[in-house]
Amino acid sequence: MEYFIELLFSGLTRGSIYALIALGYTMVYGIIGLINFAHGEMYMIGAFTGLIVAEILLIYQFPLPAVFVLTALAAVIWSSAYGFTVERIAYRPLRKAPRLAPLISAIGMSIFLQNYVQLVQTADFLPFPSLIPEFAFLEPYAGIIGSTDAAILVVSLIAMLLLSVMVKWTRIGKAMRATAQDQKMALLVGVNVDRIISFTFILGSGLAAIGGVLIASHVGQINVFIGFIAGIKAFTAAVLGGIGSIPGAVLGSYVLGLTESLTTGYVSSDYEDVFAFALLVLILIFRPSGLLGKASVDKV
Amino acid sequence: MITRHDLRHAGLTGLWFMFLTFPLVVIKINPIEHTVHWRWSNMVWIGVVSFLASLTIRLVQGRRRTGENEKQQSLLQTSVRQFDLLRRPAFFRAALITSSVLLISFPLFFSSYQVNILTTALMYVVLGLGLNIVVGMAGLLDLGYVAFYAVGAYTYALLHLHFNLGFWMVLPIGGLLGALFGLLLGFPVLRLRGDYLAIVTLAFGQIVRLILENWSEFSKGPSGIANIARPGLFGLTLSPEATITYLYYLMIGLVGLTVFVVNRLQNSRIGRAWQALREDEIACQAMGIDKTKIKLSAFALGATWAGMAGVFFAAKTTFVNPASFTFIESAIILCIVVLGGMGSIAGVMVGALILILLPEYLRAVADYRMLAFGAILVVMMIVRPQGLIAPKRRTYTLPSTHNPVNSSDVPASDR
């Protein structure tokens, strides 16, 4: 039983990370109908920026909580900056192009960013310092849930809560939903669509960066290729929940995280990635609208 | 002319990029010894380069908008027209003959090292032409193309290992198995639209590679299969140099066959159906084209070439392992098709030769190879989505539109 609960918590932790990345995919898809292939790289860039900032702060012997907060902040700032820039360079000029053009451009951007970080940093694995202290009150449950897992759960839940509040009640959140529903109409009622799209990219990249720092601190090492696989899995989660839907992305992420953790715990870990890919293929074929998504109808 | 506004914009862009790249480009940490290495000179470079790039882009765009550079426009048009030269049959035939003569005589003048590189490049020509069927002609973005390449390579490796079958025996089997896997992928994705299709094919490619990596009893896992026999020549034993030359000529033969078949396919009924599918799926169905059959045939025929190229790859390197068939390989082949021109046979050939040979000969470029591939995909989509050599569209000119002067007379007499 204890093993099951342990797997449950590790599944929830995984799910939270997937959710932080999947939200970026789903928001961008909801607004401009593009699979932002380079989104996984935002997560990777967040983790790398985090590593650099954390190491410097640790050398100057800052207290651990301050290091964590500043690292996350720096990761969010730079990752968002990259997200914004990528949209401006690679997607904005192609907004009216045929459907495949922005997708190919996104794939190119993903390859470009991966190799850019590899050139200016390194292709090897780098150790990532553990930024989350051991919480004393979690001591009795150490066998079930670690401090890092708890921190990941809490931080990601707070981030998701803030996001949903923002999307639901603030002015810019309303503008985002309007743009997602109908871009032309939103323009007509005075929404600055370009700015909303930029903002969506900034927001998505920022969330992915938080995920990157958290998971890097949990796993303890990073390299430039982490973005690709995490991106695909988060995309799977977004599609599973119904791409374009924000609650769907969160639900899909937790479903994917739990199934992955349970299958690797009880069956085998050899085919962990195959499982995620196979799941992706199956959903896209049998229920492309996902769990919570609406089936889209193409009008001619 | 350069206005102050332009300068300010470029300056801001430069500053933005200096800020953007600051942590990753300037700071390098050593997490084991806990030391920090600052590389400030990089920041200056980034600033200067992005300033100049932004200024150039702005000037070009600004001129295009005001129509200030009619002279340059017409210059551009003549250079485009020179590309059209390729389409004139006489010129085309001459170019074809010259390039074939050059290719065939290549091993006589160059070392086996050079020949080997060219063989690799030609292999990518075949792969590019195969992917061109799926992506360029039928408009189905396939990101898992390398899976079929892997199928071909492992077909030869395994059949040779277990049954000691030779290259010539396996070459058609590899092609057939490639086609079979193409159908296997094609069936489930029939209903999917462009971007979902791309993701499913990507996942398919990953699944094939992961299975090869993990199913050790079948494929020997990550360590791969070694000692695969080279192609035989009527039982003769060839010296290493002669083998390379022999492989080169085999490759030339395969390229020739591919070009011939793909060219015939393009202008056939099925090829025109592919192009109709690419342009508009619904209109294509309305014209009475069986969508299922057409999509499946595109996947199968595209995959056939990857299967054959895979067999060839295994025979050339005499060693296969899953690491040769990563997503990056698919991306390189896609880049060849996009750079050359989706749907254009000559374009794909040029694209493959540029992208494979350039990094080989410019060692300075080699480190930045993948960086450039990524950038090429982005830049081509924005600047020239039709590729270096745009595909030729089959057109029929009606006599009345052909010569407007006569056309006013003709209808009168016709009536």
Side-chain angles (χ1 to χ4, degrees):
Chain A
M1 192 61 200
E2 196 162 272
Y3 184 55
F4 176 74
I5 296 175
E6 193 192 327
L7 288 178
L8 205 67
F9 272 111
S10 100
L12 288 177
T13 316
R14 270 175 196 239
S16 308
I17 299 293
Y18 292 157
L20 286 174
I21 311 170
L23 284 169
Y25 274 114
T26 223
M27 285 192 296
V28 167
Y29 193 88
I31 285 188
I32 52 173
L34 161 76
I35 296 173
N36 181 9
F37 214 86
H39 189 59
E41 312 313 328
M42 298 302 133
Y43 157 92
M44 182 267 292
I45 286 173
F48 259 90
T49 314
L51 173 66
I52 290 166
V53 173
E55 279 293 334
I56 291 177
L57 293 177
L58 286 175
I59 287 170
Y60 291 105
Q61 303 197 320
F62 276 58
L64 208 52
V67 173
F68 178 69
V69 171
L70 289 175
T71 301
L73 202 66
V76 168
I77 289 173
W78 266 288
S79 213
S80 310
Y82 274 97
F84 170 79
T85 315
V86 165
E87 194 267 333
R88 282 298 278 269
I89 294 177
Y91 306 147
R92 188 166 292 185
L94 295 172
R95 216 169 277 160
K96 291 197 183 73
R99 236 183 137 83
L100 281 189
L103 189 63
I104 292 176
S105 174
I107 293 164
M109 212 63 211
S110 167
I111 297 170
F112 180 86
L113 287 174
Q114 217 177 74
N115 287 279
Y116 152 73
V117 178
Q118 187 176 334
L119 277 174
V120 295
Q121 294 285 324
T122 171
D124 304 326
F125 271 102
L126 290 175
F128 197 96
S130 178
L131 297 177
I132 295 151
E134 294 293 322
F135 299 121
F137 65 90
L138 278 174
E139 203 78 33
Y141 314 103
I144 300 172
I145 179 168
S147 305
T148 326
D149 294 77
I152 290 177
L153 274 175
V154 172
V155 172
S156 49
L157 282 179
I158 292 173
M160 282 182 247
L161 218 67
L162 284 178
L163 178 76
S164 39
V165 167
M166 199 208 71
V167 171
K168 201 136 201 170
W169 283 299
T170 62
R171 217 178 136 76
I172 197 157
K174 279 181 197 160
M176 275 173 72
R177 280 184 291 147
T179 314
Q181 252 179 27
D182 192 328
Q183 232 178 74
K184 242 180 222 157
M185 201 59 217
L187 242 152
L188 282 176
V189 296
V191 174
N192 188 341
V193 169
D194 276 346
R195 193 174 294 167
I196 293 299
I197 292 173
S198 284
F199 180 73
T200 310
F201 273 86
I202 290 171
L203 201 64
S205 311
L207 287 172
I210 297 178
V213 170
L214 286 172
I215 198 75
S217 170
H218 180 56
V219 176
Q221 59 175 8
I222 56 170
N223 74 355
V224 293
F225 304 110
I226 57 172
F228 180 70
I229 199 99
I232 296 257
K233 284 191 178 173
F235 179 76
T236 308
V239 173
L240 179 61
I243 196 152
S245 141
I246 289 179
V250 176
L251 177 73
S253 303
Y254 282 114
V255 170
L256 181 67
L258 284 174
T259 30
E260 259 190 28
S261 140
L262 291 177
T263 42
T264 49
Y266 286 116
V267 189
S268 147
S269 63
D270 281 2
Y271 289 95
E272 189 195 325
D273 293 345
V274 176
F275 173 75
F277 290 130
L279 187 67
L280 174 64
V281 174
L282 290 178
I283 311 160
L284 283 179
I285 292 162
F286 292 109
R287 197 175 156 74
S289 55
L291 295 172
L292 297 183
K294 287 179 229 108
S296 66
V297 182
D298 277 339
K299 287 179 194 148
V300 190
Chain B
M1 242 20 275
I2 303 176
T3 61
R4 245 174 72 197
H5 191 71
D6 286 335
L7 281 176
R8 216 191 73 163
H9 180 92
L12 286 177
T13 312
L15 283 178
W16 171 254
F17 275 96
M18 277 156 85
F19 162 75
L20 185 71
T21 54
F22 168 67
L24 289 173
V25 172
V26 175
I27 312 170
K28 188 163 173 137
I29 46 140
N30 185 336
I32 294 150
E33 289 162 21
H34 298 287
T35 50
V36 185
H37 179 50
W38 300 86
R39 302 170 291 184
W40 292 107
S41 61
N42 285 352
M43 193 175 201
V44 178
W45 278 113
I46 294 270
V48 170
V49 169
S50 51
F51 174 81
L52 291 177
S54 162
L55 203 62
T56 325
I57 291 171
R58 252 186 107 76
L59 286 180
V60 171
Q61 272 179 348
R63 279 203 188 152
R64 207 173 282 164
R65 220 172 294 134
T66 50
E68 214 175 84
N69 61 339
E70 272 163 37
K71 205 171 171 188
Q72 286 197 346
Q73 277 290 347
S74 63
L75 208 102
L76 197 78
Q77 266 160 15
T78 39
S79 66
V80 169
R81 224 170 286 139
Q82 270 162 359
F83 270 125
D84 283 348
L85 256 180
L86 275 176
R87 288 176 194 154
R88 227 171 274 162
F91 178 81
F92 185 75
R93 219 170 293 139
L96 196 72
I97 291 168
T98 332
S99 54
S100 344
V101 168
L102 279 178
L103 277 174
I104 287 169
S105 57
F106 189 81
L108 302 178
F109 304 112
F110 291 92
S111 71
S112 54
Y113 172 73
Q114 316 282 357
V115 173
N116 206 7
I117 291 173
L118 197 59
T119 313
T120 311
L122 290 174
M123 204 156 69
Y124 278 92
V125 169
V126 173
L127 286 169
L129 286 172
L131 184 64
N132 185 38
I133 293 180
V134 189
V135 177
M137 294 188 201
L140 307 161
L141 185 55
D142 184 352
L143 299 178
Y145 191 65
V146 78
F148 310 123
Y149 188 38
V151 165
Y154 269 87
T155 305
Y156 183 36
L158 289 170
L159 287 178
H160 179 73
L161 186 74
H162 295 303
F163 304 105
N164 208 13
L165 290 186
F167 173 81
W168 291 109
M169 195 83 141
V170 182
L171 191 65
I173 301 178
L176 277 176
L177 269 179
L180 198 69
F181 270 77
L183 288 178
L184 205 70
L185 170 68
F187 264 116
V189 300
L190 279 175
R191 289 165 51 201
L192 298 176
R193 270 178 308 122
D195 37 8
Y196 275 10
L197 181 103
I199 298 288
V200 170
T201 51
L202 170 70
F204 177 80
Q206 294 293 317
I207 290 173
V208 168
R209 184 180 59 84
L210 286 167
I211 287 176
L212 288 176
E213 224 159 63
N214 286 310
W215 192 4
S216 303
E217 301 87 64
F218 172 70
S219 66
K220 299 207 163 181
S223 51
I225 299 169
N227 293 327
I228 304 166
R230 290 218 158 88
L233 181 64
F234 306 114
L236 291 174
T237 40
L238 297 167
S239 68
E241 280 86 32
T243 318
I244 288 170
T245 318
Y246 177 49
L247 278 169
Y248 175 79
Y249 282 120
L250 282 183
M251 200 66 232
I252 294 264
L254 188 57
V255 169
L257 180 72
T258 318
V259 172
F260 175 73
V261 173
V262 172
N263 190 31
R264 300 295 294 175
L265 271 175
Q266 191 168 30
N267 295 327
S268 71
R269 195 184 166 81
I270 191 170
R272 279 174 287 144
W274 284 335
Q275 284 157 46
L277 184 79
R278 176 186 70 194
E279 297 303 328
D280 193 325
E281 227 176 282
I282 296 164
C284 155
Q285 274 176 298
M287 297 305 289
I289 292 167
D290 184 353
K291 202 176 83 179
T292 314
K293 222 160 75 184
I294 291 303
K295 272 196 183 177
L296 285 180
S297 61
F299 273 115
L301 285 171
T304 309
W305 299 108
M308 297 218 276
V311 173
F312 198 91
F313 171 76
K316 176 171 171 285
T317 55
T318 71
F319 170 73
V320 291
N321 73 345
S324 314
F325 308 106
T326 54
F327 170 66
I328 288 302
E329 206 70 18
S330 285
I332 293 173
I333 305 167
L334 179 68
C335 197
I336 287 171
V337 176
V338 168
L339 177 73
M342 284 187 265
S344 144
I345 293 172
V348 171
M349 295 173 81
V350 171
L353 293 179
I354 291 176
L355 286 183
I356 305 301
L357 294 183
L358 214 59
E360 288 291 346
Y361 288 109
L362 292 173
R363 277 289 153 195
V365 184
D367 288 343
Y368 300 96
R369 194 168 89 115
M370 288 314 298
L371 195 76
F373 283 2
I376 285 171
L377 285 177
V378 177
V379 172
M380 288 307 282
M381 278 300 115
I382 295 170
V383 181
R384 206 178 151 84
Q386 70 272 40
L388 286 181
I389 302 177
K392 176 178 68 171
R393 247 171 208 274
R394 248 180 117 79
T395 46
Y396 297 95
T397 22
L398 299 171
S400 59
T401 54
H402 191 66
N403 196 345
V405 183
N406 288 339
S407 67
S408 55
D409 308 335
V410 176
S413 58
D414 267 1
R415 266 178 231 142

